[in-house]
Amino acid sequence: DAGITQSPRHKVTETGTPVTLRCHQTENHRYMYWYRQDPGHGLRLIHYSYGVKDTDKGEVSDGYSVSRSKTEDFLLTLESATSSQTSVYFCAISESGGTGSHYGYTFGSGTRLTVV
Amino acid sequence: AQSVTQPDIHITVSEGASLELRCNYSYGATPYLFWYVQSPGQGLQLLLKYFSGDTLVQGIKGFEAEFKRSQSSFNLRKPSVHWSDAAEYFCAVFNQAGTALIFGKGTTLSVSS
């Protein structure tokens, strides 16, 4: 979507290796989110950020870490990739957080990660 | 805890027919509700949202949704479906802390000719 890009778009990695996914925004939005999408599960929140260096866990955060050193970038790291982390990962941004987000979220196009 | 249920995993509708996708939520106070659509291989796009006021909300692409507090529902409707509406649809609600959206598992819409 305009203003938010995810990289890489596709990645295949081996079990046990670290992997970093990047989300970059040009909207100067304060809030950024990482979700994973799996068949039958919809989207589940991994981590989110409410400002530079301010992050918090979502419902499926085990095995993942995040960093946000600049407003525009939100990195998701799989510390030691496992096959259960094979998924499509979506980044989202929001100008306001929580219930102040009257415009909802803007989503990136996703990163398809396969762990073999 | 807040939750969203989309009872229908897959729905097939004939082109030109009407559509209703169901969404039920669990939330203590007035919920903030959303419908998103995802075309194959794409990210999610916001269709419409409800925060307060008029319980019938209009969205993009001819979609509308009605908030019914008594039924804890926020069903999505369209009077006449087009082939391009084939996609996956997600209902979402803010969590109680108001920090993030909780999504339902989605409903896949197929459109037959």
Side-chain angles (χ1 to χ4, degrees), chain B residues 2-113:
Chain B
Q2 288 65 45
S3 65
V4 176
T5 301
Q6 295 181 245
D8 304 304
I9 297 173
H10 190 194
I11 286 182
T12 299
V13 175
S14 298
E15 190 169 18
S18 63
L19 169 70
E20 183 170 28
L21 301 181
R22 296 183 291 164
C23 173
N24 294 100
Y25 65 89
S26 169
Y27 193 85
T30 299
Y32 289 60
L33 294 157
F34 301 80
W35 274 101
Y36 282 84
V37 61
Q38 183 183 31
S39 298
Q42 302 297 313
L44 279 73
Q45 181 184 22
L46 178 65
L47 281 177
L48 48 78
K49 58 188 183 287
Y50 172 79
F51 292 120
S52 64
D54 193 349
T55 57
L56 184 64
V57 294
Q58 302 296 320
I60 63 171
K61 305 185 180 187
F63 285 92
E64 66 179 27
E66 186 171 14
F67 171 62
K68 293 185 178 180
R69 183 187 301 276
S70 62
Q71 299 177 17
S72 297
S73 69
F74 188 57
N75 294 349
L76 182 71
R77 302 194 295 245
K78 187 170 185 178
S80 178
V81 170
H82 187 262
W83 65 266
S84 61
D85 293 323
E88 191 162 18
Y89 292 80
F90 293 94
C91 184
V93 65
F94 271 117
N95 62 8
Q96 188 167 4
T99 51
L101 283 176
I102 298 171
F103 287 85
K105 295 182 179 180
T107 297
T108 299
L109 173 66
S110 296
V111 180
S112 61
S113 55

Side-chain angles (χ1 to χ4, degrees), chain A residues 90-113:
Chain A
F90 284 98
C91 177
I93 61 174
S94 174
E95 186 170 8
S96 301
T99 55
S101 180
H102 285 202
Y103 298 99
Y105 296 175
T106 300
F107 282 84
S109 298
T111 294
R112 183 173 296 276
L113 177 68

